Amino acid sequence: MATAIIMAEAIKDPAAVVGPQKRNRIQVSTNKKPLYFYVNLAKRYMQQHNEIELSALGMAIGTVVTVAEILKNNGLATEKKILTSTIGTKDEIKGRLIRKAKIEILLGKTENFHDIMTSEKAERNGNGNGGAKGKNNARRKPVQEEAGDGSRKEAAEEIGN
């Protein structure tokens, strides 16, 4: 009788039987999202939690390592733990067991996490360095272009730094 109740609960809510999924875990996959999607998602998770866990399988491991390094190099996170393992997954096409590498990286907030995030937000809102980087600082060079009527008109072409 107890097994029937557990099975009924599993049908209604699989998480109730397995347990709640970690709310501070980011599972990275290959080619679904760009790298900075995961960097920005990690920053948002870190604003809510003291630590986050980045995890990936197979080819996505490089992306997880890069995200962790970006967060560490920007002074936002410190590395707490790295776990590597191999798991078996079933190939749905061939029906056989495939072994895949897995990585889990546990990152914690740095003491000055909130200060850095505040200064990043100020820079994005234009309160930072006055637009000294990016396209705002491009030089312009005059270029002669031919107009539709055969005459030439002067235009400007942006030159990157």
Side-chain angles (χ1 to χ4, degrees), residues 18-153:
V18 177
Q21 185 174 352
K22 289 184 177 181
R23 298 199 188 284
N24 61 340
R25 174 184 286 167
I26 299 173
Q27 294 176 312
V28 176
S29 65
T30 56
N31 300 330
K32 287 193 177 180
K33 302 282 183 186
L35 175 71
Y36 273 89
F37 168 83
Y38 293 112
V39 172
N40 292 326
L41 184 62
K43 287 178 184 180
R44 283 194 313 217
Y45 273 38
M46 289 180 81
Q47 287 176 330
Q48 299 169 1
H49 305 283
N50 285 330
E51 58 186 31
I52 62 165
E53 181 181 301
L54 302 172
S55 71
L57 296 175
M59 300 298 287
I61 290 174
T63 303
V64 163
V65 171
T66 303
V67 169
E69 287 300 312
I70 288 169
L71 294 169
K72 286 169 34 183
N73 290 338
N74 289 337
L76 297 169
T78 58
E79 184 181 293
K80 287 189 164 187
K81 188 191 297 184
I82 297 177
L83 298 171
T84 60
S85 60
T86 306
I87 64 162
T89 59
K90 191 170 184 177
D91 184 349
E92 300 201 8
I93 298 170
K94 297 179 181 175
R96 65 180 185 195
L97 191 67
I98 297 176
R99 310 282 296 160
K100 286 192 174 183
K102 179 179 181 180
I103 191 166
E104 295 172 293
I105 301 176
L106 186 65
L107 298 174
K109 281 186 200 178
T110 57
E111 289 182 15
N112 55 350
F113 173 84
H114 293 289
D115 296 336
I116 294 169
M117 290 299 291
T118 304
S119 67
E120 280 184 11
K121 187 175 182 180
E123 284 181 23
R124 278 195 311 272
N125 292 335
N127 300 335
N129 56 14
K133 63 181 180 181
K135 292 182 181 177
N136 296 336
N137 200 26
R139 294 177 290 141
R140 297 175 85 72
K141 157 179 122 174
V143 175
Q144 292 290 324
E145 291 183 357
E146 189 168 314
D149 60 359
S151 64
R152 299 184 74 72
K153 64 178 184 175

